[in-house]
Amino acid sequence: MDIPTHNRGLNISGFETITNIHWNWSPTRFYEEAVKRGEGKIAKGGALVVKTGKHTGRSATDKFIVRDEETKDTVWWEDNASMAPEQFKTLQADFNKHMQDMVLFGQDTFGGADLDHRVSVQIITEFAWHGLFVHHLLRQPSPEELETYQAEFTIINLPSFKADPKRHGTNSETVIAVNMSERIVLIGGTSYAGETKKSVFSILNYLLPVKRVMPMHCSVNVDDNDNAAVFFGLSGTGKTTLSANPDRTLIGDDEHGWSENGLFNFEGGCYAKMIKLSEKAEPEIFATTKMWGTVLENVVMNPTDRTLDLDDGSLAENSRAAYDLTAIPNASLTGKCGQPNNVIMLTADAFGVLPPIARLTPAQAMYHFLSGYTAKVAGTEKGVTEPTATFSACFGAPFMPRNPVVYGELLRDLIAENKVGCWLVNTGWTAGPYGTGYRMPIKATRAMLNAALDGSLNEMEFRMDENFGFEVPVSIPGIDDQLFSPRSTWESGPDYDVQALKLVNMFTENFVKFENYVSQDVRDAGPRGAEVWVSV
């Protein structure tokens, strides 16, 4: 049902004259309008297939935060580009001018399922299909909530707007400009819908830590006994696959908060990668590609019979599907659960050094959370010919406006206060690096995770890892004991030692930028055996 709020203006400074907005349309109307406008085509089964043009992912170098009295001492400028208030003011005026004769779509939404900590975000889009995307991904107010709804933030997304680097201080015609003081985000020059979703995430990541609420780039699931688990992990580590468990309820697959009330999803939907998606491996996600109303970005479709080819990456390796959480059979509709029992940090170690699972202390958890390690393998990106270490603080550095240590300290404190088990799980390689060794068996990884989640792993014997100092199980029933001693899986122990020292030094060098911000126990939680501990 459509909410009759048409002819309403934008009640924010600089945009008072914008009244040509269709407010709070239903998914059906967005879908119909997108097809009518030629923004997308209907696939067999009813999904809406769209193309985003040259931008098939985030434009990381085009995102800016306005540097002013509000943000000058609160934003981590080492990882965030700044924009002057005067440049934003000019950009805002140009957005206003560009919007005057456009037909636009507005939605009143919430970021966050926790009623004590959610943020009301009003979103204006140029494309109808972006409106459908927003309806899927954000949490929708009830009719009663709309009667008193007041937006705390406004996001305006105009793909047809082209920024002027000389006039606006941007790097290109694309811009994502965040003004925390004015509570406005302006997005222009890109059709990739994920920019809107990630802007909401960035807003929450800035606001929530002040309230001692931990924002997280993670997935969450829970069993029937309210035994909840948090899964951190960068792309390719198995976060989506391992958190999708038919025996556990999915709270969400990407963005969550951790408050005094427990865990809560920021979103109302999912934004899943489609490239080479397997019906056998992920049947619930695969089924959404054949559902009415799913938005498929850059998925190749046969123009004759409208069938999809998920293996074809000619439009984008980052092809995506956006759909409501109700499309997943075992997903939570409340988006909430209690305090977590376990935190899982996933890494795909292509160097073949890390054990398959390790138990972490709160200080070690903070160290590895700040490190955010995984590895790219040869062939995944142009120019990558051997395993390459990737460190992304908090497992989501591009979306964290504040100093990563702020999030790390909050996570460490919450883990300690709630007596949460914390585990580092390697889904990467053993018996050698990528190209020589083999990938950790998924069956063994699932068995280790099950033992960690049900508590039985804590009762088993552990040893201390000689390189990283964390505890590693000696054995787990049903799993080859050799896996828990990575050096023993290599043909040459000395070759393993060389590779281990290489990885240890990578961790050490990466952590230098955090040393002056963390306590001694966290510095001591780092790896051992480095040739030189580099210190500032």
Side-chain angles (χ1 to χ4, degrees), residues 24 54 85 88 102 119 231 239 312 357 371 417 444 455 472 499:
N24 296 316
K54 68 176 182 178
F88 184 86
M102 301 177 71
V119 176
F231 294 79
K239 176 164 63 79
D312 189 337
I357 192 167
S371 298
E417 289 169 14
V472 181
Q499 191 82 321

Side-chain angles (χ1 to χ4, degrees), residues 84 128 166 186 273 283 292 307 323 342 403 407 412 414 527:
K166 291 183 179 179
L186 302 178
K273 287 186 177 180
W292 179 93
T307 56
Y323 48 88
N342 290 279
N403 188 321
Y407 308 102
R412 178 192 59 188
L414 288 169

Side-chain angles (χ1 to χ4, degrees), residues 144-163:
E144 293 74 23
E145 288 172 328
L146 278 174
E147 291 180 4
T148 57
Y149 184 94
Q150 290 187 341
E152 297 169 73
F153 258 87
T154 298
I155 298 174
I156 301 176
N157 190 330
L158 308 178
S160 65
F161 180 89
K162 305 299 181 186

Side-chain angles (χ1 to χ4, degrees), residues 232-484:
F232 291 107
L234 298 172
S235 179
T237 58
K239 176 164 63 79
T240 299
T241 300
L242 292 171
S243 63
N245 186 330
D247 297 324
R248 297 172 68 87
T249 298
L250 180 69
I251 301 300
D253 76 333
D254 198 37
E255 299 166 4
H256 295 81
W258 182 354
S259 75
E260 72 279 7
N261 302 320
L263 302 172
F264 62 99
N265 195 350
F266 285 171
E267 303 179 301
C270 297
Y271 194 36
K273 287 186 177 180
M274 289 289 103
I275 193 69
K276 295 181 173 58
L277 183 73
S278 166
E279 182 176 15
K280 181 178 180 180
E282 299 183 80
E284 294 88 0
I285 298 176
F286 186 88
T288 67
T289 67
K290 300 179 183 297
M291 291 182 182
W292 179 93
T294 293
V295 178
L296 295 174
E297 288 184 352
N298 303 312
V299 172
V300 174
M301 179 179 68
N302 185 308
T304 302
D305 63 10
R306 302 300 177 96
T307 56
L308 305 172
D309 185 352
L310 302 181
D311 293 327
D312 189 337
S314 58
L315 291 177
E317 286 294 316
N318 190 38
S319 55
R320 295 272 182 166
Y323 48 88
D324 192 277
L325 265 174
T326 56
I328 301 298
N330 67 326
S332 166
L333 298 184
T334 68
K336 296 183 288 186
C337 64
Q339 300 292 340
N341 296 71
N342 290 279
V343 167
I344 313 296
M345 297 183 188
L346 300 169
T347 182
D349 175 29
F351 295 94
V353 171
L354 293 178
I357 192 167
R359 184 166 61 186
L360 306 178
T361 66
Q364 288 171 335
M366 180 176 173
Y367 181 92
H368 285 277
F369 180 70
L370 289 177
S371 298
Y373 166 71
T374 192
K376 297 175 183 176
V377 298
T380 56
E381 289 184 9
K382 185 177 180 181
V384 178
T385 58
E386 61 180 25
T388 304
T390 297
F391 294 94
S392 183
C394 310
F395 295 97
F399 322 117
M400 304 296 176
R402 296 181 184 273
N403 188 321
V405 173
V406 171
Y407 308 102
E409 289 179 341
L410 185 51
L411 179 70
R412 178 192 59 188
D413 292 347
L414 288 169
I415 287 172
E417 289 169 14
N418 292 282
K419 297 180 173 58
V420 177
C422 197
W423 310 89
L424 182 69
V425 174
N426 175 22
T427 60
W429 279 258
T430 193
Y434 172 80
T436 301
Y438 59 89
R439 194 84 187 251
M440 291 288 180
I442 186 66
K443 184 177 180 181
T445 300
R446 287 192 182 279
M448 287 182 279
L449 276 175
N450 288 337
L453 297 182
D454 67 20
S456 60
L457 185 52
N458 279 318
E459 306 304 317
M460 299 178 188
E461 182 183 356
F462 286 78
R463 66 171 181 85
M464 183 171 290
D465 184 84
E466 61 275 15
N467 296 304
F468 285 85
F470 41 49
E471 294 181 311
V472 181
V474 173
S475 67
I476 296 177
I479 301 175
D480 183 0
D481 289 352
Q482 196 176 27
L483 281 179
F484 300 106

Side-chain angles (χ1 to χ4, degrees), residues 15-34:
F15 294 99
E16 295 89 348
T17 62
I18 304 299
T19 58
N20 46 319
I21 303 174
H22 296 299
W23 285 98
N24 296 316
W25 273 12
S26 66
T28 306
R29 290 198 69 181
F30 281 127
Y31 183 99
E32 179 183 55
E33 187 69 14

Side-chain angles (χ1 to χ4, degrees), residues 70 176 185 209 237 266 535:
E70 163 76 23
I176 302 96
V185 180
T237 58
F266 285 171
S535 182

Side-chain angles (χ1 to χ4, degrees), residues 30 37 39 105 125-132 157 159-160 190-191:
F30 281 127
R37 290 175 158 208
E39 295 177 1
F105 306 92
T125 62
E126 175 182 352
F127 291 163
W129 80 261
H130 275 190
L132 181 58
N157 190 330
S160 65
T190 172
S191 297

